[in-house]
Amino acid sequence: MKKWLVVIIVAVIAGFMLISSYNSLVKAEEEIDSVWANVETQYQHRSDLIPNLVNTVKGQANFEKETLTSVMEARAKATQTKIDPANLTEEQLAQFQQNQNQVGSALSRLLVTVEKYPELKSGEAFMTLQAQLEGMENRINVARNKFNEAAKVYNAKVRTFPTKLAAMIFGFKEKPYFKSASGAENAPSVNFQ
């Protein structure tokens, strides 16, 4: 009788540990989903600002059409990329990040090219949009950092004992992190000649 009582007590304790581990994994995964939605919101806000920037530039200068076209094409490509955070893979995140990097690169080329047009730079509408884009890039960076922090907490739960057992039983997998764009370790070259 004592053996059965010990087995029952061990089984109950193991069951509570499994339930607790499962619940902590669900909460951590929900946090990642929430933070991912914030990342997407920031990128969407940037995409929403781009047409305003392009129209302002177009309206105030006889601007280089190729630069404007590349910004709009990059924006269109980036807004077509949709990711389900529940099934987020390293490859999907890399593709999403590559598309967003293309938008950032096109915007950088646009802003550098604008330096050639003093009447545009001094325009209040352009200055406002430029400040909004700068702020937006900062908010995107903050959202990405928060996502990486949430992924770190979640991944630690998935990889540490005893939660790892619950993760294996219930199919919880590690989430990828945002990484720096290739070449981001090198300072950009700006030349106004």
Side-chain angles (χ1 to χ4, degrees), residues 142-193:
V142 168
R144 288 172 53 151
N145 287 340
K146 285 182 180 178
F147 175 83
N148 281 349
E149 192 58 39
K152 176 183 166 187
V153 169
Y154 172 83
N155 289 342
K157 288 180 182 288
V158 168
R159 296 180 60 212
T160 57
F161 188 81
T163 315
K164 182 174 185 161
L165 296 175
M168 289 174 14
I169 291 169
F170 295 110
F172 289 91
K173 306 262 189 263
E174 286 185 56
K175 301 290 184 181
Y177 294 100
F178 271 106
K179 296 179 182 154
S180 296
S182 173
E185 68 279 1
N186 302 321
S189 169
V190 178
N191 184 356
F192 297 121
Q193 296 178 20

Side-chain angles (χ1 to χ4, degrees), residues 30-42:
E30 285 298 318
E31 178 66 15
I32 285 179
D33 292 350
S34 171
V35 174
W36 176 253
N38 291 338
V39 169
E40 288 184 319
T41 298
Q42 296 306 324

Side-chain angles (χ1 to χ4, degrees), residues 2 9 13 18 28 48 56 83 139 143 145 149 172 180-181 191:
K2 284 185 179 183
I9 290 172
I13 290 171
L18 185 63
D48 293 344
T56 300
I83 294 179
R139 288 189 294 279
N145 287 340
E149 192 58 39
F172 289 91
S180 296
N191 184 356

Side-chain angles (χ1 to χ4, degrees), residues 93-168:
L93 188 60
Q95 182 61 48
F96 179 85
Q97 189 169 350
Q98 180 183 6
N99 289 348
Q100 294 301 333
N101 288 344
Q102 288 175 354
V103 173
S105 176
L107 283 173
S108 293
R109 285 192 308 275
L110 175 65
L111 294 175
V112 167
T113 305
V114 162
E115 293 295 324
K116 297 178 184 176
Y117 297 91
E119 69 281 353
L120 178 61
K121 284 193 319 187
S122 64
E124 186 177 333
F126 180 78
M127 295 299 287
T128 300
L129 281 170
Q130 189 175 13
Q132 286 179 6
L133 282 171
E134 184 178 311
M136 180 52 49
E137 293 301 321
N138 289 335
R139 288 189 294 279
I140 286 170
N141 190 46
V142 168
R144 288 172 53 151
N145 287 340
K146 285 182 180 178
F147 175 83
N148 281 349
E149 192 58 39
K152 176 183 166 187
V153 169
Y154 172 83
N155 289 342
K157 288 180 182 288
V158 168
R159 296 180 60 212
T160 57
F161 188 81
T163 315
K164 182 174 185 161
L165 296 175
M168 289 174 14

Side-chain angles (χ1 to χ4, degrees), residues 23 47 51-52 75 114 137 143 150:
N23 289 340
S47 291
N52 293 334
R75 175 190 175 269
V114 162
E137 293 301 321

Side-chain angles (χ1 to χ4, degrees), residues 3-41:
K3 286 183 183 180
W4 287 107
L5 184 59
V6 169
V7 169
I8 290 172
I9 290 172
V10 168
V12 168
I13 290 171
F16 279 124
M17 287 176 61
L18 185 63
I19 290 169
S20 175
S21 294
Y22 175 80
N23 289 340
S24 72
L25 285 167
V26 168
K27 288 176 185 173
E29 191 171 51
E30 285 298 318
E31 178 66 15
I32 285 179
D33 292 350
S34 171
V35 174
W36 176 253
N38 291 338
V39 169
E40 288 184 319
T41 298

